[in-house]
């Protein structure tokens, strides 16, 4: 039998759609967060391209449950849906989720997380960014479809996300508002009118870190700094409980 404890790493889970799935690419916001938390926390990408909040609440218990949450070892969870929910029903019925249902789905996701031991104070909602219709229309045409998302509609979903977070007691990163604050050209934050550009990824990483930092500030550096390892008896340093 082993005489030492297995090292258990806290987790930050990124749960969302393609904007989350692609966040581990070079210069992605998820990769930046993971880099900041190296040796302190595992950052787990649970981004599901094309998914909406309806599908998200169905699969969430398969991803995080009271059986696999490792005794409240989850430091934080980001919930980033809405960019697909806001698709126009007549142009993209498969992904579209009505506004009121979207709001209720976010609340249900919070309840499911709570049942798995992740309290609302560990949850950060991320509201969808604004949509640049001319750029996204070009993408749609290339795929053989017509424009299937509108700027104004995305704004309603972002507002619903902010309101749901407040009602759940969760924090929220309101990209819709922040990306347009003080008359900023939000289009610079988007690569194709919907997904994030490199600048957009930097923007999300910077603002998300401000919300995450307090939740992970007390996490210790896991395993000793190399200079603190006893070279003559490394086991005494490396197998001790931290």
């Amino acid at each position: 039998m082993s005489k030492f404890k297995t090292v258990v790493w806290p987790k930050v889970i990124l749960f969302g759609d393609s904007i989350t799935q692609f966040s581990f690419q070079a210069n992605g916001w998820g990769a930046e967060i993971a880099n900041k938390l190296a040796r302190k926390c595992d950052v787990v990408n649970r981004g599901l391209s094309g998914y909406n909040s309806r599908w998200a609440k169905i699969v969430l218990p398969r991803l995080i449950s009271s059986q696999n949450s490792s005794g409240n070892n989850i430091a934080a969870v980001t919930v980033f849906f809405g960019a697909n929910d806001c698709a126009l029903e007549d142009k993209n019925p498969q992904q579209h989720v009505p506004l009121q249902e979207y709001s209720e789905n976010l609340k249900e996701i919070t309840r499911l997380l709570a049942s798995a031991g992740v309290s609302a104070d560990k949850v950060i909602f991320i509201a969808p960014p604004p949509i640049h219709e001319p750029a996204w229309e070009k993408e749609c045409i290339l795929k053989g479809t017509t424009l299937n998302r509108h700027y104004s509609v995305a704004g309603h979903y972002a507002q619903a996300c902010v309101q749901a977070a407040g009602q759940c007691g969760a924090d929220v990163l309101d990209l819709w508002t922040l990306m347009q604050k003080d008359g900023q050209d939000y289009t610079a934050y988007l690569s194709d009118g919907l997904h994030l550009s490199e600048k957009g990824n930097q923007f999300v990483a910077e603002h998300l870190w401000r919300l995450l930092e307090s939740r992970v500030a007390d996490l210790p550096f896991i395993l000793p700094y190399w200079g603190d390892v006893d070279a003559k008896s490394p086991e005494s340093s490396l197998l001790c409980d931290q």
Side-chain angles (χ1 to χ4, degrees):
M1 180 179 289
S2 174
K3 296 180 179 179
F4 54 87
K5 288 184 178 179
T6 300
V7 177
V8 178
W9 296 65
K11 294 181 178 63
V12 169
I13 298 177
L14 312 181
F15 185 42
D17 53 33
S18 61
I19 303 177
T20 296
Q21 180 177 322
F22 302 151
S23 73
F24 272 30
Q25 294 180 344
N27 302 310
W29 62 269
E32 176 65 21
I33 296 298
N35 183 56
K36 286 180 178 292
L37 289 173
R39 290 283 292 275
K40 297 186 75 173
C41 196
D42 281 341
V43 178
V44 182
N45 188 330
R46 291 294 179 263
L48 303 164
S49 179
Y51 275 51
N52 55 34
S53 64
R54 181 186 295 160
W55 302 344
K57 73 175 184 180
I58 294 171
V59 301
L60 180 57
R62 301 185 64 188
L63 306 178
I64 306 173
S65 71
S66 55
Q67 284 73 42
N68 64 21
S69 60
S70 299
N72 289 329
N73 198 42
I74 296 173
V77 178
T78 61
V79 179
F80 192 174
F81 292 95
N84 296 318
D85 298 71
C86 75
L88 303 177
E89 184 175 16
D90 59 333
K91 301 294 176 63
N92 187 352
Q94 184 174 10
Q95 291 180 304
H96 169 78
V97 173
L99 185 61
Q100 183 58 39
E101 183 191 339
Y102 168 68
S103 177
E104 292 303 319
N105 289 342
L106 293 181
K107 296 174 190 176
E108 178 62 16
I109 286 170
T110 306
R111 288 190 286 268
L112 289 168
L113 288 170
S115 70
V118 183
S119 55
D121 62 304
K122 294 182 178 181
V123 178
I124 302 172
F125 283 117
I126 305 179
I131 289 171
H132 184 224
E133 291 183 23
W136 184 242
E137 185 172 27
K138 290 180 182 178
E139 291 294 316
C140 292
I141 291 171
L142 287 173
K143 296 175 183 177
T145 62
T146 57
L147 180 66
N148 56 23
R149 288 166 175 79
H150 286 166
Y151 168 88
S152 60
V153 175
H156 294 314
Y157 282 74
Q159 184 178 25
C161 179
V162 172
Q163 292 174 346
Q167 292 166 356
C168 294
D171 221 332
V172 64
L173 174 55
D174 183 3
L175 292 182
W176 170 270
T177 299
L178 288 172
M179 285 183 169
Q180 301 179 85
K181 189 176 181 180
D182 300 325
Q184 291 182 84
D185 177 16
Y186 72 88
T187 64
Y189 297 124
L190 305 173
S191 62
D192 57 7
L194 176 66
H195 300 95
L196 299 175
S197 63
E198 183 172 336
K199 184 176 181 180
N201 274 282
Q202 293 172 348
F203 184 91
V204 173
E206 175 188 342
H207 287 272
L208 178 58
W209 181 246
R210 295 176 187 176
L211 299 179
L212 264 179
E213 191 170 13
S214 63
R215 292 170 169 83
V216 298
D218 295 331
L219 294 178
F221 195 66
I222 297 176
L223 294 175
Y225 172 65
W226 71 268
D228 294 333
V229 175
D230 184 340
K232 294 181 179 179
S233 178
E235 291 85 359
S236 64
S237 303
L238 301 176
L239 299 182
C240 64
D241 293 338
Q242 288 186 296

